């Protein structure tokens, strides 16, 4: 092939990828001059909308704050402050602003709100006697204009470094919209990078096979499998990819916006990260090859909708993106991966079936019960019971059960393993045993792969029950150990030189249900960012003089520790 032909082929596929992808998905129509940048810092991001995170999509933009805290956070458009949230994890300290266009913007991980709002929130916390709050604020209380200072950036909540998490939502539906579809000033003239291709034999469940992985090379701007065209021993296939997007001037590997599969130039399936509900964000676990990722592999994003995936990012033909192959007849497959600015990369190859599949599910025995999406799946015996509702799983798998014992002789119930994701909570019941002498102190302990959960168990007719969202290994325990309260740099007596009082509170089950502090009999606000330490910074609530501070910590089964400190300030 001559150089002119190669260049023509590259231009053809680039244009074809952009135009056909635009036709396959309806292009969102937004006023691209409505919002301004929400942070008084360099206009850049470290994470985009739709990025892949554990058990959820990233639902906004992570705006850079130049690696420092306390940059001004600014209202992105006219409106009014409608809500404020303060929590130890998640958004940390966050502001919600409602706008006349029917959208709500959210600004999270903040350190402080602007003074008038800060004073209002503090007043409400004392009224509710709770640091952790989610406040609905009257529309007339705090109107804002575009560019107004609303607070200062930070690193609170589930943040792992200084930044502002920024979202735009549909106020009525609460669906989160992609801010980069709305004209925010992030320069982008770089097409996504496609790293690898995975091919699945769809005569089997995606959970009971290991996909064939193909590395890629780029020739004249088009990605192709490094080993050339592909032969498969099956008549049904689907695909997944590892791909990243980048922005001009940044080396960050961000999430991709959309990908579409074409079979002989006919679009058959694709997804777009443009509008996601928080109710659907856990469907990320159906969008990726969860088992492959949980086993230590990279993210593979499915280009077909799994049978139990009810999330809203996909558009498919009648076969949900599974492609039927006729033995001996090659299919030309093209995968177009695009970003919100229309930059597109193409992966192309020919795939040919050598005949029907003879593959069998890996590591499956005849005694294992098949769990199927779309149906209620039940497991029960004389000691343990649970069921998964019809929306709980995304693809079929043969359920595995085993029973072992811990060092104390307690039963460990191995309910499959956590490499199979579960969408909804399920109720697990374990039969009462001789280790439980106080029904109010029972907990069910779940473990798998280093992750643990302790959930309070409720006694009911000889069984203990608790709700979980992951499979794994389960043990019924009795918890009689109260929390531990340890002062940090505070010993009582003379506190005149201190600026704060802090306590570390720990529990053997890792779950603190309630922490309460009372100064001279009145509730005192302690913060608990990231669930670490409880901290009170001296203010007008603790004037000079002698004081008594009583702190109480309670765990989830009601074990309580109380300590009293007398001090002078």
């Amino acid at each position: 092939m001559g150089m002119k032909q190669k260049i023509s082929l590259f231009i053809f596929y680039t244009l074809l990828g952009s135009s056909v992808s635009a036709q396959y998905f309806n292009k969102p129509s937004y006023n691209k001059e409505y919002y301004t940048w929400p942070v008084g810092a360099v206009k850049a991001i470290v994470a985009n909308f739709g990025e892949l995170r554990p058990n959820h999509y990233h639902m906004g933009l992570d705006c850079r704050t130049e690696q420092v805290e306390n940059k001004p956070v600014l209202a992105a458009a006219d409106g009014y402050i409608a809500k404020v949230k303060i929590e130890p994890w998640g958004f940390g300290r966050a502001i919600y602003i409602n706008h006349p266009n029917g959208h709500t913007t959210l600004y999270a991980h903040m350190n402080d709100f602007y003074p008038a709002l800060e004073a209002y929130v503090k007043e409400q916390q004392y009224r509710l006697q709770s640091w952790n709050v989610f406040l609905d604020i009257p529309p007339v209380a705090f109107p804002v204009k575009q560019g107004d200072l609303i607070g200062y950036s930070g690193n609170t909540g589930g943040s792992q470094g200084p930044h502002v998490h920024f979202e735009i939502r549909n106020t009525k539906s609460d669906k989160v919209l992609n801010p980069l579809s709305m004209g925010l000033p992030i320069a982008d003239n770089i097409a996504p990078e496609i790293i690898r291709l995975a091919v699945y034999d769809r005569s089997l469940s995606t959970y009971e096979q290991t996909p064939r992985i193909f590395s890629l090379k780029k020739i004249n701007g088009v990605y192709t499998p490094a080993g050339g065209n592909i032969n498969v021993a099956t008549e049904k296939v689907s695909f997944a990819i590892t791909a990243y997007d980048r922005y001009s001037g940044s080396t960050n590997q961000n999430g991709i916006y959309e990908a579409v599969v074409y079979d002989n130039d006919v679009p058959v399936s694709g997804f777009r990260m443009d509008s996601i509900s928080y109710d659907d964000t856990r469907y990320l676990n159906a969008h990726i090859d969860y088992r492959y990722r949980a086993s230590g592999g990279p993210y593979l994003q499915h280009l077909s909708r799994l049978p139990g995936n009810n999330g809203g990012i996909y558009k498919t033909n009648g076969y949900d993106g599974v492609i039927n192959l006729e033995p001996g007849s090659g299919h030309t497959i093209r995968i177009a991966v695009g970003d919100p600015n229309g930059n597109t990369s193409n992966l192309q190859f020919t795939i040919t079936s050598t005949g029907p599949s003879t593959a069998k599910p890996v590591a499956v025995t005849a005694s294992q019960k098949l769990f199927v999406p779309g149906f209620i799946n039940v497991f029960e015996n004389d000691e343990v019971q649970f069921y998964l509702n019809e929306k709980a799983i995304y693809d079929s798998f043969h359920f595995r059960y085993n029973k072992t014992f811990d060092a104390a002789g307690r039963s460990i119930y191995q309910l499959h393993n956590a490499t199979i994701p579960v969408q909804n909570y399920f109720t697990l019941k374990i039969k009462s045993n001789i280790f439980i002498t106080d029904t109010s102190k029972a907990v069910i302990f779940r473990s798998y792969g280093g992750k643990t959960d302790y959930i309070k168990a409720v006694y009911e007719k000889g069984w203990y029950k608790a709700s979980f969202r992951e499979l794994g290994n389960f043990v019924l325990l009795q918890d009689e150990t109260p929390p531990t309260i340890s002062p940090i740099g505070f010993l009582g007596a003379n506190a005149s030189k201190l600026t704060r009082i802090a306590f570390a509170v720990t529990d053997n089950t890792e779950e603190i249900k309630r922490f309460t502090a009372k100064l001279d009999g009145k509730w005192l606000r302690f913060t608990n960012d990231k669930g670490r330490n409880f901290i009170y910074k001296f203010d007008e609530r603790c004037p000079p003089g002698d004081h008594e501070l009583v702190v109480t910590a309670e765990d989830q089964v009601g074990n309580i520790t109380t300590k009293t400190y007398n001090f002078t300030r």
Side-chain angles (χ1 to χ4, degrees), residues 47-69:
N48 64 353
F49 181 87
E51 275 193 15
L52 311 179
R53 301 287 175 86
N55 297 314
H56 69 284
Y57 297 105
H58 187 244
M59 301 288 272
L61 302 182
D62 281 352
C63 305
R64 288 187 182 274
T65 59
E66 301 168 14
Q67 300 181 335
V68 298
E69 300 181 18

Side-chain angles (χ1 to χ4, degrees), residues 55 57 59 173-176 276-284 310-312 394 423-424 469:
N55 297 314
Y57 297 105
M59 301 288 272
S173 69
D174 210 34
K175 278 195 171 185
V176 188
I276 303 174
S277 165
Y278 267 96
D279 291 336
D280 289 344
T281 189
R282 192 175 175 87
Y283 280 111
L284 169 128
N310 296 313
Y394 312 127
Q423 175 69 17
N424 304 321
R469 212 172 186 178

Side-chain angles (χ1 to χ4, degrees), residues 119-382:
Y120 174 86
V121 171
K122 182 177 180 179
E123 178 185 342
Q124 297 305 308
Q125 288 174 314
Y126 272 95
R127 180 180 66 83
L128 297 168
Q129 296 192 1
S130 176
W131 169 76
N132 191 343
V133 294
F134 194 11
L135 304 174
D136 287 306
I137 297 177
V140 297
F142 297 100
V144 294
K145 291 291 185 181
Q146 186 176 71
D148 279 358
L149 176 72
I150 59 172
Y152 297 92
S153 69
N155 185 33
T156 58
S159 170
Q160 297 179 357
H163 72 281
V164 173
H165 176 84
F166 176 69
E167 293 183 10
I168 300 177
R169 302 183 181 187
N170 180 302
T171 305
K172 185 175 181 180
S173 69
D174 210 34
K175 278 195 171 185
V176 188
L177 310 175
N178 192 333
L180 294 181
S181 298
M182 301 187 188
L184 289 173
I186 298 297
D188 183 10
N189 56 14
I190 303 173
E193 300 175 20
I194 311 175
I195 307 300
R196 62 180 60 86
L197 169 71
V199 179
Y200 294 81
D201 177 354
R202 292 305 293 272
S203 63
L204 301 175
S205 166
T206 59
Y207 295 147
E208 297 187 334
Q209 63 178 291
T210 300
R212 290 178 64 188
I213 304 295
F214 296 87
S215 58
L216 306 176
K217 59 184 178 181
K218 196 173 185 180
I219 301 175
N220 299 320
V222 178
Y223 292 89
T224 61
N229 292 324
I230 299 170
N231 293 324
V232 291
T234 180
E235 295 177 321
K236 292 183 177 181
V237 295
S238 67
F239 307 106
I241 56 172
T242 302
Y244 300 103
D245 195 17
R246 290 198 299 116
Y247 300 94
S248 300
S250 173
T251 58
N252 278 27
Q253 291 182 325
N254 299 114
I256 58 174
Y257 175 61
E258 67 179 20
V260 180
V261 179
Y262 300 87
D263 177 13
N264 294 329
D265 286 333
V266 177
V268 295
S269 182
F271 65 84
R272 172 180 277 182
M273 306 288 187
D274 199 61
S275 174
I276 303 174
S277 165
Y278 267 96
D279 291 336
D280 289 344
T281 189
R282 192 175 175 87
Y283 280 111
L284 169 128
N285 292 338
H287 174 58
I288 65 171
D289 187 329
Y290 187 93
R291 177 177 169 271
Y292 194 80
R293 176 67 176 174
S295 300
Y299 280 117
L300 295 172
Q301 294 180 256
H302 282 299
L303 302 175
S304 61
R305 188 201 305 267
L306 294 186
N309 184 355
N310 296 313
I313 67 169
Y314 281 90
K315 178 180 179 181
T316 69
N317 59 11
Y319 301 99
D320 279 343
V322 176
I323 295 175
N324 295 306
L325 305 175
E326 309 79 21
S329 177
H331 285 236
T332 299
I333 303 297
R334 183 168 58 86
I335 299 171
V337 182
D339 64 26
N341 280 16
N343 302 303
T344 303
S345 293
N346 288 282
L347 162 61
Q348 181 166 314
F349 55 92
T350 297
I351 189 166
T352 304
S353 168
T354 60
S357 175
T358 57
K360 295 182 179 180
V362 295
V364 171
T365 64
S367 63
Q368 292 171 352
K369 184 175 182 180
L370 181 66
F371 278 20
V372 180
F375 293 85
I376 295 174
N377 295 283
V378 179
F379 177 81
E380 55 186 356
N381 60 28
D382 292 340

Side-chain angles (χ1 to χ4, degrees), residues 118 137 155 269 285 356 361 369 395 438 461 474 478 523:
E118 190 72 46
I137 297 177
N155 185 33
S269 182
N285 292 338
K369 184 175 182 180
D395 208 347
D438 184 345
K461 298 179 180 179
F474 298 84
Q478 181 165 305
W523 185 83

Side-chain angles (χ1 to χ4, degrees), residues 496-517:
S496 60
K497 294 183 179 181
L498 299 180
T499 60
R500 69 176 197 170
I501 299 173
F503 297 99
V505 182
T506 58
D507 189 66
N508 61 311
T509 67
E510 305 170 0
E511 298 290 335
I512 302 298
K513 178 181 178 181
R514 185 177 296 109
F515 174 87
T516 304

Side-chain angles (χ1 to χ4, degrees), residues 450-470:
K451 183 179 179 182
T452 60
D453 298 299
Y454 292 85
I455 305 297
K456 177 178 171 56
V458 177
Y459 181 77
E460 182 182 85
K461 298 179 180 179
W463 294 79
Y464 290 90
K465 64 179 184 179
S467 293
F468 294 88
R469 212 172 186 178
E470 292 182 283

